[in-house]
Amino acid sequence: MDRPPQSPDIMALLLEEAAAAAAAGEVPVAAAVTGRDGTIIAMEQNRMRRDANSLHHAEILALRAAMAACGDDRLDGCDLWVTLEPCTMCAGAISHARIRRLYFGATDNKAGAVESGVRFFDSPACHHRPEVYGGLSATAAAEQLKVFFAARR
């Protein structure tokens, strides 16, 4: 399946949102949920430090906001866009939310759980598997993370 034509625009917005997260002292990750028509329903950034809550990954917050906006606990037909490959916790949430497609930027060899690590969607324990498209704006997303962590060392 081809990527939707608006993918560069969504990833560009997410990279800006991730930069804002970095400016606030958060790991620069941002996520958005789009509806069937491609419009953004929710967009969030990492808020773990600001909220003192290790569960506040961008994906979790975007899924929560989209569910609230849709008034449903499932996001059938919706897509999730994120600047970094989701971790195991976020992959589980993506599955439970019934996300149709997952688009992500940089691969996370250390904590990623989609194409790296545990490969959650390939597990027999996973009851819903979205279509997965990795590598969107991967170089820019990876560079944001590299710059952020280099400044912290």
Side-chain angles (χ1 to χ4, degrees):
M1 165 173 224
D2 294 337
R3 291 186 175 96
Q6 72 274 20
S7 64
D9 295 335
I10 292 172
M11 289 306 289
L13 286 171
L14 288 177
L15 289 168
E16 289 175 18
E17 194 73 12
E26 300 283 353
V27 175
V29 177
V33 176
T34 56
R36 291 178 192 272
D37 63 356
T39 59
I40 295 174
I41 298 169
M43 185 164 50
E44 297 285 344
Q45 56 186 246
N46 272 359
R47 296 192 56 87
M48 295 175 292
R49 295 215 179 261
R50 287 173 284 178
D51 296 349
N53 189 327
S54 61
L55 303 177
H56 283 188
H57 291 201
E59 300 96 309
I60 299 294
L61 296 173
L63 291 170
R64 178 187 285 166
M67 288 175 196
C70 294
D72 199 344
D73 65 329
R74 293 190 177 177
L75 297 170
D76 295 309
C78 293
D79 300 335
L80 179 69
W81 302 74
V82 62
T83 57
L84 181 65
E85 177 183 4
C87 70
T88 306
M89 174 182 71
C90 292
I94 291 164
S95 178
H96 282 281
R98 305 294 198 276
I99 287 294
R100 175 180 58 179
R101 293 186 196 105
L102 167 64
Y103 300 94
F104 70 87
T107 299
D108 186 350
N109 293 321
K110 183 175 179 181
V114 177
E115 292 181 351
S116 308
V118 300
R119 301 179 64 94
F120 180 79
F121 299 130
D122 293 337
S123 166
C126 178
H127 59 278
H128 172 78
R129 294 161 180 82
E131 295 175 29
V132 176
Y133 301 91
L136 280 78
S137 303
T139 302
E143 185 63 22
Q144 273 188 331
L145 290 157
K146 180 180 173 184
V147 167
F148 176 81
F149 287 112
R152 297 181 72 91
R153 291 185 184 114

